[in-house]
Amino acid sequence: MRQCRLIPFLMLLAPLVMPGAEQPTLSLDEAVAQTLHGSLVVASARAGVAGARAQEVTAGYGPNPSLSLGAEQFDLSKPNNYLGSDSGDGANRTYTIRIDQQIELGGKRGLRMRTAKVQRRAAEAQVDEARRQQVAAVSQVFVAGLLARDNLRLAEENVSLDDGTERVVRTQVEGGHRPQADLISFAVGRLQTRQEATAARLAYDQARSDLLTLLGSEPGPTVPELIGDLETPAAPVQAGDDTTAIARRGDVIVARLLADAADDGVDLARAQRTIDPTVGVEYQRIGGTNTAGLTATMSLPMWNNHAGDIDQADASRIQAELQWHLIVRQVRSDVEKAYQGMRAGRAQLDLYGPEMMDKVNQLLQIVSHSYQEGATSLLELMDARRAYNQVHLAANQVRYEYRLAAIKLDLALGT
């Protein structure tokens, strides 16, 4: 596992611009650490955990008792008389204090707590899933930036090669060994090289801007230089194994937990059919007499037996279970495609090994030397230069795609 160094974000992305100040740099480890530290997506998932914990606490509460206070049978013809004694009339002042408590039956509280606990675990798994997705997103954008940087370096190298080649052509023309048309043709041809260098610079700047945006910062006056390379160890790729991914990936865990919570929801809906009685104790003062009593009330399931609630909960359970199966199927597909991408990338990488790159470099050197000796034409020299550029661009792309395939394999496996 990489060791990430968490450096202050402001110092990383907006350093003080001073004469002679070094260009700030940004590595993949630092980018990953920064996105995990400041990602709004991850922060939102963590807030969801806090909410789920609060719901878990709430689920454990039982019904609150209720207090009733009453003062009845005031004689409107004599409102100020006999406030606390027997009036001798048919209507006596009556004062009531009653406390009622609903008693939950059918295991409703336990089912609520169990469901809330599973939902809290799902929220925690969602944080891991958010982290996994953010790491993959940052990694993909970062390596795209490395590709743009390497292509820029190649374009700048081509500009330098053009400078050297132009001196050779000029010397040949001025010495009378080559026609003036060679110098003019080369000057026109190098416009494309300069255009490619400008486009490569723009692509690299935009790639870094995309990365900084993903990290949550607007590009400042000094944009960090990306450090690292596209090289990825070309290890043998075996057949895909999705067992670990199914057990590890956050989206699978979340889907499984939500399916379990939906299953508990069906039990909770069925438990609503159990009638919860409400019992109470009562004190009354009627006229001059103090009395006490007990009360009991309960609902009669004449019109609503919660059949609709049960059917709705069962439909939610089926949906959650199907969603879990769909995600498992998607995981298997992701793993298989990731391994296929690695195998294809490995095959492409083998085509652009050190031996091939040495041959391309040697070809350019041979043709350049032959041109100086007058043995080849300018057209052949330019063809060799184009082949050199195309092979190196293709090699950069192949290294990028293999690196990207490795990231996608980590994402598919949930590592």
Side-chain angles (χ1 to χ4, degrees):
M1 182 178 293
R2 296 187 179 96
Q3 297 295 324
C4 297
R5 293 185 294 115
L6 182 59
I7 64 179
F9 192 55
L10 294 178
M11 293 180 62
L12 173 65
L13 299 181
L16 295 176
V17 180
M18 298 181 296
E22 293 184 358
Q23 175 78 8
T25 60
L26 180 65
S27 69
L28 177 57
D29 287 343
E30 291 166 344
V32 168
Q34 182 55 50
T35 193
L36 292 180
H37 177 72
S39 170
L40 296 180
V41 176
V42 177
S44 176
R46 291 197 183 104
V49 174
R53 286 175 179 163
Q55 291 177 352
E56 188 176 7
V57 172
T58 303
Y61 293 149
N64 287 324
S66 60
L67 173 65
S68 301
L69 301 176
E72 304 173 89
Q73 299 196 97
F74 281 75
D75 188 348
L76 295 180
S77 63
K78 304 174 183 177
N80 295 323
N81 295 336
Y82 310 110
L83 292 181
S85 61
D86 188 355
S87 65
D89 297 333
N92 287 308
R93 304 294 190 269
T94 302
Y95 301 96
T96 305
I97 300 175
R98 192 174 80 186
I99 297 177
D100 295 305
Q101 175 65 59
Q102 186 182 47
I103 301 175
E104 282 191 314
L105 301 177
K108 299 183 185 68
R109 180 172 176 269
L111 288 169
R112 284 200 310 271
M113 293 176 62
R114 190 170 71 186
T115 303
K117 181 179 180 179
V118 174
Q119 290 174 338
R120 186 259 303 164
R121 290 172 55 200
E124 292 171 346
Q126 188 62 52
V127 175
D128 294 335
E129 174 64 10
R131 290 166 60 91
R132 182 179 73 94
Q133 294 288 348
Q134 286 296 292
V135 168
V138 169
S139 299
Q140 292 181 38
V141 174
F142 191 93
V143 297
L146 292 181
L147 172 64
R149 183 206 61 188
D150 288 357
N151 287 342
L152 173 61
R153 290 176 178 176
L154 178 61
E156 291 175 341
E157 179 186 347
N158 288 333
V159 172
S160 298
L161 287 174
D162 274 355
D163 293 338
T165 303
E166 185 176 21
R167 287 192 295 268
V168 173
V169 174
R170 187 179 299 278
T171 301
Q172 293 287 319
V173 171
E174 292 175 351
H177 305 294
R178 298 285 179 177
Q180 184 70 26
D182 274 14
L183 187 60
I184 298 174
S185 297
F186 184 81
V188 173
R190 74 173 304 179
L191 290 176
Q192 182 178 357
T193 305
R194 292 178 176 176
Q195 182 181 2
E196 290 173 351
T198 301
R201 166 58 64 182
L202 176 61
Y204 182 46
D205 291 340
Q206 289 179 338
R208 289 186 293 174
S209 297
D210 291 342
L211 179 61
L212 296 184
T213 300
L214 187 59
L215 293 178
S217 172
E218 295 294 334
T222 305
V223 181
E225 187 75 18
L226 304 186
I227 58 176
D229 56 64
L230 288 173
E231 298 296 336
T232 305
V237 181
Q238 306 297 330
D241 181 11
D242 52 35
T243 304
T244 302
I246 292 174
R248 177 186 293 165
R249 274 182 46 164
D251 52 351
V252 178
I253 296 174
V254 170
R256 182 65 262 171
L257 290 172
L258 291 180
D260 292 342
D263 192 48
D264 291 337
V266 175
D267 293 337
L268 182 59
R270 289 173 178 163
Q272 299 303 320
R273 284 183 167 178
T274 303
I275 298 174
D276 298 331
T278 300
V279 297
V281 293
E282 180 182 79
Y283 162 77
Q284 279 190 326
R285 179 176 178 83
I286 303 175
T289 305
N290 296 317
T291 65
L294 298 175
T295 63
T297 58
M298 63 183 65
S299 63
L300 299 178
M302 296 178 63
W303 318 119
N304 180 12
N305 63 353
H306 298 282
D309 297 334
I310 295 172
D311 290 343
Q312 183 178 3
D314 193 54
S316 298
R317 178 191 61 79
I318 294 173
Q319 286 182 324
E321 195 72 24
L322 291 175
Q323 184 65 26
W324 176 75
H325 285 292
L326 286 173
I327 291 178
V328 169
R329 184 179 300 176
Q330 184 63 50
V331 168
R332 293 193 174 112
S333 175
D334 291 346
V335 172
E336 179 59 29
K337 288 192 295 185
Y339 275 110
Q340 290 174 354
M342 286 291 290
R343 287 191 288 268
R346 172 60 190 272
Q348 291 291 324
L349 202 62
D350 290 341
L351 296 177
Y352 292 89
E355 183 178 354
M356 173 58 69
M357 304 310 295
D358 289 341
K359 288 180 180 180
V360 173
N361 296 338
Q362 290 174 9
L363 175 63
L364 181 59
Q365 293 175 4
I366 292 172
V367 175
S368 298
H369 181 73
S370 297
Y371 180 81
Q372 296 180 49
E373 298 295 327
T376 57
S377 65
L378 178 63
L379 180 60
E380 291 173 308
L381 176 61
M382 297 305 294
D383 285 343
R385 286 287 308 278
R386 280 191 292 270
Y388 174 88
N389 185 57
Q390 290 172 357
V391 171
H392 278 273
L393 281 175
N396 286 345
Q397 185 68 28
V398 165
R399 285 192 289 267
Y400 162 73
E401 290 178 355
Y402 188 72
R403 182 74 177 272
L404 190 62
I407 293 173
K408 290 182 177 179
L409 179 60
D410 284 342
L411 178 65
L413 294 176
T415 53

